[in-house]
């Protein structure tokens, strides 16, 4: 039945189509409709099983290469190599599994297993049932605090206001009534309709259910998630590309060694075994474990900053973010209204700068009078009012709660004032009248009428204005000046209310709408949802880091622009556009214009999805924030979906990152940590690949020139253990480098190995291989002892690798500056590696295993010089990059 324009139908037509009446349905009809339409619930996404999470850890091409290498090692009965390789796979799987399982469990704990109840008219009685048992045609009864259980058309409404944040993303209350509307009215302006997931904040109502489950507006959004494909993260794409390169490289090495060896008349099976051994040594088996540990540590650090990363690979993707599309309400702003300005005829008080009236030396009595009216002419309810507001609960709409809090800030407590001025009667706020009035008793014979409402309405009804504790006849010039004041504040994005009063003779005057005239205007109060602390500085940090901030809101264009300007989003250089204007732009034109738009106002869920796609079309990495069900498709489509901790479960389920404290600064802190993760990954790759490539070059050169092998298989394995193992892992624990947020975002096209690191890998590998081959050749020729020469080469390669690990830590600092950035794990790993290598050379048991001999002074001098040479060359190349980096800053 979802095709009907329910908002434009008269009641009789509604009842006719839905086959219901004001008394509701009977039990027999309810059973039929439950059978026909099903339960009133959205399909629940099944939690990912532990087994599936376990299997997900194997979905990496690098893992596939390691498994193949391990199987080949087993075929050739090389159990040690196979054991090391499979250990790397197992460690990666275990670490990844427990991290993702922990994140899933933490998210499950955030969910509230609440069964929503609703009151419904059935069989001539009013019953309370589970919301999931509602059917089309049911008559429901709602009041303040109730969650709307399905889409419904209002039949009766008294002072109804609804918070539609779950649907629209904006937390303003929407006034509702039963007025019949035109067919063309947009969904956001259908004031006679209420929607599943929204919340009654005030009033009472009866409504008839018109859609349930997936046919509701929220259900349609939830079903959109099934059509949205998830993007691979940048790390997944980079690892896939890197693994292909490793795979082809290893295959080329195997084929070269095999066929070249056969060409030189070596035994085919012997050459195949050597080729496989070299290929296995070329695969940095420590890399996959180090990557997993880097991501796991990053997840934990992000969690400490109140960000819950749901998938391991998503942690690094944050560092690649180039665009952050963020909600306004509750993310950039606090999510609740606050009084920020109090304006009288000749005084302006800023409450954000001054939190008490001691700063108001002039006009303080006029300000008190404005606040007093705001507190008394108010329908919000205060529970357990105290001098301190920390533990006070206020129930009501956002505007009225803000007025009570402002009054309490200045010592005006409603419960005390009501005792002094008892409330006798009330004219509720009405969207047509645009004002509210309350009558209070001041003496036995006299009362006072307090009024608040739209500035233009109150000024229209005012004959006087309050000035220096007395009423003064108002004139056109005064009204004109007052009008300029509230128009300026409205232009700044504030919500403005005017306040007035009128003395009332108890037994003479009639309290009705006709008597709301000849008012004494007292002042204006300006309210807004204030900017969260730290947001401005965070956006400045993003600008320096080359991250574009795009604000997306359901609010009005002027309000959106004012907030954007306040937080530091450029609206002069970039456009501010409304959803209705966006609809008129073709996809092709939008793709060309998207980078010139910084603020979107009055947008729909489809608009959000379109914005994400447009940025992705430009190869940008997009982080999209959201909390409502309406945000879920865009969250799922974005490279990084960021849900608010206070948001809906649908939004959290579609996200990659959950911000537990709802702060925008937490998002950027997570992005910063993502860059640290990528930075540490680059260090590990640089270090491990340099070592692996050097080993391959040494073996290939020796085979080509016909030398004895400078390194034996067991020695290569030992070097991989002491150099790639602990030092590689220790690099993952490197402290954060502040320079990460001074650089532009990581390009989506960049690989695991950056261009700078490619040059360094080649340079380090060549200088290491050449120097190691020189050591081997020199001591082989000078001593005639191959084992002595091989021990020197073995030790030289092992220790020089342990030395240049400090140069691999950063391209932003030289060797000595990097030593100041303490990483005790790395220092400990290097010392352990040194001790283990000494054991391999001098302990008899290990001498037999590795075919080593004790070294004298000359080899040690040569080994130390080799390490210094490698560091000097690496630092020279880094120096060239440091100069370029300084110019970029």
């Amino acid at each position: 039945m979802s095709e009907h324009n329910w908002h434009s139908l008269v009641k009789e037509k509604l009842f006719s189509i839905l086959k219901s009446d004001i008394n509701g349905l009977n039990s027999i009809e309810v059973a039929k409709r439950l059978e026909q339409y099903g339960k009133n619930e959205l399909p629940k996404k099944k939690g990912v099983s532990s087994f599936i999470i376990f299997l997900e850890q194997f979905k990496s091409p690098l893992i596939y290469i390691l498994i193949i290498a391990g199987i080949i090692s087993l075929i050739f009965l090389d159990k040690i190599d196979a054991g090391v390789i499979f250990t790397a796979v197992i460690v990666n799987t275990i670490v990844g599994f427990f991290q993702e399982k922990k994140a899933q469990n933490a998210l499950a704990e955030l969910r509230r297993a609440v069964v929503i109840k609703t009151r419904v008219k059935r069989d001539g009685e009013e019953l309370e049932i589970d919301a999931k048992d509602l059917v089309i045609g049911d008559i429901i009864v709602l009041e303040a605090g109730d969650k709307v259980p399905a889409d419904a058309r209002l039949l009766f409404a008294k002072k109804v206001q609804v918070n539609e944040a779950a649907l629209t993303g904006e937390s303003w209350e929407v006034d509702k009534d039963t007025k019949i509307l035109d067919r063309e009215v947009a969904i956001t302006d259908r004031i006679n309709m209420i929607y599943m997931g929204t919340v009654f904040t005030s009033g009472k109502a009866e409504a008839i259910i018109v859609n349930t489950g997936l046919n509701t507006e929220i259900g349609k959004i939830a079903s959109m998630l099934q059509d949205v494909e998830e993007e691979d993260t940048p790390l997944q794409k980079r690892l896939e590309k890197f693994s292909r390169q490793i795979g082809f490289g290893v295959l080329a090495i195997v084929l070269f060694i095999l066929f070249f060896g056969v060409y030189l008349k070596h035994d085919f099976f012997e050459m195949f075994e050597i080729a496989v051994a070299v290929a296995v040594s070329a695969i940095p088996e420590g890399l996959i474990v180090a990557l997993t540990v880097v991501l796991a540590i990053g997840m934990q650090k992000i969690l400490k900053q109140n960000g819950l990363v749901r998938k391991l690979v998503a942690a690094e993707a944050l560092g690649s973010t180039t665009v952050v599309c963020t909600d306004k309400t509750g993310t950039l702003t606090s999510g609740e209204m606050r009084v920020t300005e109090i304006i009288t005829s000749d005084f302006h008080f800023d409450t954000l700068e001054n939190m008490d009236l001691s700063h108001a030396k002039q006009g303080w009595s006029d300000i008190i009078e404005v606040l007093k009216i705001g507190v008394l002419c108010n329908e919000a309810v205060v529970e357990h009012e105290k001098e301190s507001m920390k533990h006070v609960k206020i129930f009501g709409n956002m505007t009225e709660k803000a007025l009570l809090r402002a009054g309490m800030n200045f010592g005006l407590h409603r419960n005390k004032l009501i005792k002094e001025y008892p409330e006798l009667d009330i004219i509720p706020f009405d969207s047509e009248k645009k004002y509210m009035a309350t009558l209070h008793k001041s003496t036995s014979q006299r009362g006072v009428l307090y009024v608040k409402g739209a500035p233009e309405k109150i000024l229209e009804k005012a004959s006087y204005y309050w000035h220096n504790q007395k009423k003064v006849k108002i004139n056109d010039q005064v009204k004109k000046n007052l009008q300029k004041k509230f128009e300026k504040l409205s232009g700044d994005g504030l919500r403005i209310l005017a306040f007035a009063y009128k003395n009332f003779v108890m037994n003479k005057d009639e309290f009705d709408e006709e008597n709301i005239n000849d008012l004494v205007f007292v002042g204006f109060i300006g309210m807004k949802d204030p900017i969260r602390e730290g947001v401005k500085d965070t956006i400045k940090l993003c600008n320096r880091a080359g991250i574009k901030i795009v604000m997306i809101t359901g609010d009005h264009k002027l309000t959106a622009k004012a907030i954007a300007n306040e937080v530091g989003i450029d609206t002069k250089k970039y456009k501010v556009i409304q959803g209705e204007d966006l609809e008129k732009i073709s996809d092709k034109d939008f793709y060309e214009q998207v980078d010139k738009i910084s603020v979107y106002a009055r947008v729909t869920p489809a608009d959000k999805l379109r914005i994400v796609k447009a940025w992705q079309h430009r190869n940008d990495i997009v982080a999209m924030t959201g909390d409502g069900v309406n945000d879920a498709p865009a969250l799922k489509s974005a490279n990084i979906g960021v849900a608010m901790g206070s948001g809906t479960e649908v939004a959290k389920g579609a996200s990659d990152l959950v911000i537990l404290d709802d702060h925008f600064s937490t998002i950027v802190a997570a992005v910063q940590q993502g860059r640290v993760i990528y930075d540490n990954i680059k260090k590990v790759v640089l270090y491990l690949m340099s070592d692996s490539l050097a080993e391959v070059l040494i073996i290939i050169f020796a085979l080509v020139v016909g030398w004895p092998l400078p390194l034996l298989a067991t020695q290569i394995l030992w070097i991989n253990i002491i150099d790639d193992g602990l030092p590689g892992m220790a690099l993952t624990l490197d402290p954060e480098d502040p320079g990460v947020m001074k650089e532009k975002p990581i390009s989506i096209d960049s690989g695991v190995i950056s261009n700078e690191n490619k040059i360094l890998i080649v340079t380090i590998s060549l200088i290491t291989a050449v120097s190691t081959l020189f050591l081997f050749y020199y001591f082989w020729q000078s001593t005639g002892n191959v084992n002595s020469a091989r021990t020197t080469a073995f030790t030289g390669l092992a220790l020089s690798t342990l030395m240049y690990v400090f140069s691999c830590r950063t391209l932003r600092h030289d060797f000595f500056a990097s030593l100041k950035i303490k990483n005790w794990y790395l220092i400990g790993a290097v010392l352990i590696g040194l001790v283990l290598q000494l054991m391999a050379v001098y302990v008899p048991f290990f001498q037999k295993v590795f075919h080593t001999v004790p070294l004298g002074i000359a080899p040690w001098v040569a080994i130390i010089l080799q390490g210094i040479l490698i560091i000097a060359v690496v630092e020279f190349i880094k120096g060239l990059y440091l100069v370029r980096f300084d110019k970029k800053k």
Side-chain angles (χ1 to χ4, degrees):
M1 291 192 178
S2 57
E3 68 275 7
H4 292 282
N5 292 297
W6 304 109
H7 59 283
S8 64
L9 302 178
V10 296
K11 285 185 183 179
E12 292 75 18
K13 187 69 173 174
L14 273 173
F15 290 139
S16 173
I17 294 172
L18 296 170
K19 296 181 175 58
S20 184
D21 59 39
I22 196 67
N23 295 313
L25 303 171
N26 59 52
S27 300
I28 297 172
E29 184 62 25
V30 167
K32 288 181 182 177
R33 296 190 185 194
L34 274 173
E35 181 71 25
Q36 182 180 357
Y37 298 110
K39 293 282 189 180
N40 173 42
E41 55 188 359
L42 302 179
K44 294 178 181 177
K45 185 178 179 182
K46 290 184 178 180
V48 181
S49 69
S50 297
F51 181 66
I52 296 298
I53 293 175
F54 178 77
L55 291 181
E56 287 281 335
Q57 309 311 310
F58 292 92
K59 291 176 68 174
S60 166
L62 203 55
I63 289 286
Y64 302 152
I65 291 174
L66 286 176
I67 292 174
I68 291 169
I71 292 170
I72 292 172
S73 296
L74 282 177
I75 291 171
F76 284 91
L77 301 178
D78 192 345
K79 296 180 181 179
I80 297 177
D81 273 4
V84 171
I85 291 169
F86 285 124
T87 298
V89 172
I90 291 167
V91 169
N92 166 78
T93 303
I94 291 172
V95 172
F97 171 79
F98 281 108
Q99 284 298 322
E100 290 195 15
K101 186 66 178 174
K102 185 177 179 181
Q104 187 187 60
N105 291 340
L107 187 64
E109 288 173 13
L110 292 174
R111 296 191 179 101
R112 302 289 186 266
V114 177
V115 177
I116 298 175
K117 298 281 188 179
T118 191
R119 284 177 294 153
V120 62
K121 289 184 175 181
R122 286 182 181 172
D123 296 317
E125 297 180 341
E126 189 174 303
L127 310 170
E128 186 176 69
I129 65 169
D130 289 350
K132 66 181 180 180
D133 294 326
L134 283 173
V135 296
I136 290 170
D138 264 329
I139 306 296
I140 54 172
V141 181
L142 298 161
E143 61 183 22
D146 288 343
K147 198 169 190 176
V148 179
D151 289 1
R153 163 74 185 274
L154 289 170
L155 302 173
F156 160 77
K158 182 180 180 182
K159 301 190 310 185
V160 171
Q161 289 188 317
V162 178
N163 187 316
E164 296 185 336
L167 185 65
T168 66
E170 292 304 316
S171 54
W172 310 119
E173 281 82 7
V174 179
D175 294 314
K176 298 285 184 177
D177 61 37
T178 58
K179 190 191 304 178
I180 297 171
L181 304 171
D182 293 335
R183 289 169 62 92
E184 293 76 21
V185 172
I187 187 171
T188 51
D189 297 321
R190 293 176 188 173
I191 58 174
N192 61 4
M193 296 291 296
I194 51 177
Y195 300 101
M196 176 188 268
T198 60
V199 179
F200 264 50
T201 56
S202 66
K204 295 182 178 180
E206 288 187 7
I208 185 167
I209 301 296
V210 296
N211 281 312
T212 59
L214 279 174
N215 289 323
T216 62
E217 291 301 323
I218 275 181
K220 291 173 189 174
I221 295 169
S223 64
M224 285 171 65
L225 291 175
Q226 300 169 8
D227 303 323
V228 177
E229 293 184 9
E230 288 191 60
E231 285 268 329
D232 281 345
T233 69
L235 182 61
Q236 287 172 317
K237 292 176 182 177
R238 291 179 184 125
L239 281 179
E240 185 177 350
K241 181 180 177 182
F242 177 66
S243 300
R244 282 200 305 268
Q245 293 169 340
I246 288 282
F248 287 128
V250 167
L251 181 61
I253 291 169
V254 168
L255 293 175
F256 174 81
I257 293 175
L258 179 62
F259 289 111
F260 190 77
V262 171
Y263 175 76
L264 294 176
K265 310 299 184 185
H266 288 285
D267 179 71
F268 176 84
F269 290 103
E270 179 188 358
M271 291 312 302
F272 186 76
E273 186 174 1
I274 292 173
V276 170
V278 171
V280 169
S281 72
I283 298 171
E285 62 271 7
L287 177 58
I288 194 68
V289 179
L291 286 176
T292 305
V293 172
V294 168
L295 293 170
I297 291 169
M299 282 181 73
Q300 293 302 313
K301 288 183 177 179
I302 292 171
L303 184 58
K304 287 179 181 177
Q305 294 173 313
N306 287 312
L308 176 66
V309 179
R310 299 183 62 229
K311 285 188 176 181
L312 205 60
V313 289
E316 181 274 341
L318 286 160
S320 304
T321 303
T322 57
V323 179
V324 176
C325 296
T326 177
D327 275 347
K328 173 183 71 68
T329 306
T331 307
L332 298 177
T333 64
S334 65
E336 63 176 27
M337 294 294 286
R338 274 181 59 185
V339 170
T340 59
E341 316 278 345
I342 304 173
I343 303 98
T344 62
S345 58
D346 56 1
F347 191 77
H348 188 148
F349 186 70
D350 187 330
T351 64
L352 290 181
E353 294 180 2
N354 308 302
M355 289 307 294
D356 61 72
L357 286 176
S358 62
H359 293 84
K361 296 180 181 177
Q362 296 179 347
W364 67 271
S365 59
D366 293 354
I367 291 170
I368 283 289
E369 195 64 29
V370 178
L371 285 169
K372 178 180 167 185
I373 297 172
V375 170
L376 287 169
C377 187
N378 198 308
E379 290 190 274
V381 177
V382 183
E383 185 181 90
H384 307 305
E385 188 170 30
K386 300 176 183 178
E387 294 296 324
S388 169
M389 292 195 299
K390 286 183 179 179
H391 305 293
V392 172
K393 288 186 178 180
I394 303 177
F395 301 93
N397 70 44
M398 292 179 69
T399 299
E400 300 208 321
K401 290 197 297 188
L403 291 172
L404 288 194
R405 288 194 177 278
M408 292 167 71
N409 270 332
F410 301 122
L412 298 172
H413 297 269
R414 176 173 169 80
N415 292 347
K416 290 181 181 178
L417 285 175
I418 283 293
K419 289 179 182 178
E420 189 176 348
Y421 301 95
E423 185 179 301
L424 303 176
D425 209 342
I426 183 173
I427 298 176
F429 180 84
D430 182 275
S431 56
E432 288 187 3
K433 297 193 301 283
K434 294 186 178 179
Y435 68 81
M436 167 188 174
T438 53
L439 177 62
H440 298 263
K441 184 177 180 181
S442 57
T443 66
S444 58
Q445 296 298 319
R446 300 187 68 82
V448 60
L449 181 68
Y450 290 130
V451 186
K452 76 167 187 282
E456 64 275 12
K457 285 290 183 183
I458 302 301
L459 287 176
E460 180 186 308
K461 293 178 176 294
S463 301
Y464 306 90
Y465 70 102
W466 189 255
H467 179 67
N468 288 337
Q469 301 185 61
K470 59 183 179 181
K471 69 178 186 178
V472 181
K473 189 72 176 176
I474 201 166
N475 56 45
D476 290 342
Q477 186 59 45
V478 172
K479 281 191 176 183
K480 191 174 181 181
N481 291 339
L482 291 171
Q483 188 170 344
K484 283 182 180 177
K485 287 185 178 183
F486 86 74
E487 285 177 351
K488 181 184 181 303
L489 292 171
S490 295
D492 291 338
L494 270 66
R495 177 174 289 188
I496 309 299
L497 288 177
F499 298 81
Y501 80 94
K502 178 182 178 180
N503 288 322
F504 190 88
V505 180
M506 298 297 290
N507 297 322
K508 179 181 176 182
D509 297 331
E510 292 290 330
F511 181 67
D512 55 28
E513 293 180 21
E514 296 295 324
N515 212 13
I516 309 298
N517 53 34
D518 292 331
L519 300 178
V520 181
F521 170 81
V522 179
F524 300 119
I525 284 182
M527 283 172 281
K528 70 175 180 179
D529 184 1
I531 305 302
R532 280 190 182 274
E533 187 178 349
V535 164
K536 293 180 185 179
D537 291 337
T538 304
I539 288 179
K540 284 181 183 176
L541 179 64
C542 288
N543 292 335
R544 287 199 303 271
I547 301 170
K548 180 163 176 76
I549 305 299
V550 177
M551 189 175 87
I552 301 176
T553 176
D555 219 328
H556 291 282
K557 186 175 180 179
L558 283 176
T559 304
K561 185 175 181 180
I563 295 295
N565 288 333
E566 189 175 352
V567 299
I569 297 174
D570 193 344
T571 59
K572 293 180 180 177
K573 183 179 177 182
Y574 301 100
K575 293 181 188 175
V576 178
I577 190 171
Q578 291 200 137
E580 61 187 37
D581 298 320
L582 182 58
E583 289 177 8
K584 300 171 186 175
I585 304 174
S586 68
D587 285 343
K588 182 181 177 182
D589 291 339
F590 186 42
Y591 291 159
E592 293 175 0
Q593 297 178 33
V594 68
D595 63 325
K596 299 176 181 67
I597 303 169
S598 61
V599 177
Y600 296 86
R602 288 299 198 191
V603 293
T604 65
D607 290 333
K608 292 186 175 185
L609 193 56
R610 195 176 171 207
I611 293 164
V612 169
K613 292 294 185 185
W615 278 108
Q616 288 175 335
H617 183 78
R618 294 169 48 85
N619 281 337
D620 279 283
I621 303 296
V622 185
M624 165 67 80
T625 72
D627 53 6
V629 175
N630 63 319
D631 297 318
L635 290 175
K636 188 174 181 182
S637 179
N639 301 93
I640 300 292
V642 183
M644 300 297 111
S646 60
T648 61
E649 294 306 324
V650 176
K652 292 175 191 171
S655 69
D656 302 290
L657 171 68
V658 179
I659 301 300
L660 302 179
D661 59 4
D662 291 3
H663 281 218
F664 180 74
S665 56
T666 302
I667 301 170
V668 179
V671 169
Q672 183 168 344
Q673 192 57 49
R675 289 194 176 191
V676 173
I677 289 169
Y678 181 69
D679 217 36
N680 285 345
I681 288 173
K682 286 199 301 181
K683 296 174 190 177
V684 173
V685 171
L686 170 62
Y687 178 64
L688 295 182
M689 289 304 298
S690 300
D691 187 24
S692 294
L693 183 55
E695 293 168 358
V696 171
L697 292 175
I698 291 167
I699 298 298
I700 290 177
F701 182 86
L703 284 172
V704 170
V705 299
W707 289 0
L709 289 177
L711 298 170
L712 299 176
T714 53
Q715 292 173 346
I716 291 174
L717 181 61
W718 184 250
I719 290 172
N720 288 346
I721 291 172
I722 68 169
D723 287 353
D724 296 359
L726 290 177
M729 293 293 288
L731 279 176
T732 68
L733 301 169
D734 240 12
E736 178 181 318
D737 188 332
V740 294
M741 291 302 278
K742 294 178 182 178
E743 299 175 358
K744 298 299 179 185
I746 306 148
S747 169
I748 192 173
D749 297 321
S750 63
V752 174
I753 307 174
S754 64
N755 290 331
E756 292 91 342
N757 279 7
K758 285 176 184 176
I759 294 171
L760 280 172
I761 287 171
V762 171
T763 303
I764 293 171
S765 300
L766 281 173
I767 192 69
T768 303
V770 170
S771 59
T772 302
L773 287 166
F774 174 79
L775 288 181
F776 173 76
Y777 184 77
Y778 176 80
F779 286 100
W780 173 35
Q781 294 298 314
S782 62
T783 65
N785 187 333
V786 173
N787 279 341
S788 177
R790 191 173 280 146
T791 302
T792 305
F794 170 43
T795 305
L797 179 59
L799 297 191
S800 62
T801 303
L802 289 174
M803 290 172 70
Y804 72 66
V805 68
F806 294 99
S807 287
C808 292
R809 294 180 66 192
T810 177
L811 286 179
R812 302 183 191 90
H813 308 287
D814 60 35
F815 178 83
F816 296 103
S818 68
L819 291 178
K820 295 177 183 177
I821 305 173
K822 299 298 183 186
N823 181 345
W824 294 109
Y825 298 102
L826 182 59
I827 294 170
V830 169
L831 291 176
I832 290 171
L834 174 61
V835 170
L836 289 174
Q837 184 59 29
L838 291 174
M839 290 170 62
V841 174
Y842 293 106
V843 174
F845 171 78
F846 289 108
Q847 287 176 342
K848 291 179 182 178
V849 172
F850 298 114
H851 304 284
T852 57
V853 296
L855 295 177
I857 295 175
W860 277 111
V861 171
I863 289 167
I864 293 170
L865 290 174
Q866 179 192 19
I868 293 172
L869 173 65
I870 294 172
I871 291 173
V873 173
V874 173
E875 289 303 311
F876 174 75
I877 296 172
K878 280 174 57 178
L880 300 178
Y881 291 125
L882 284 171
V883 171
R884 195 176 73 176
F885 179 70
D886 288 337
K887 287 180 179 179
K888 283 183 178 180
K889 288 196 289 185

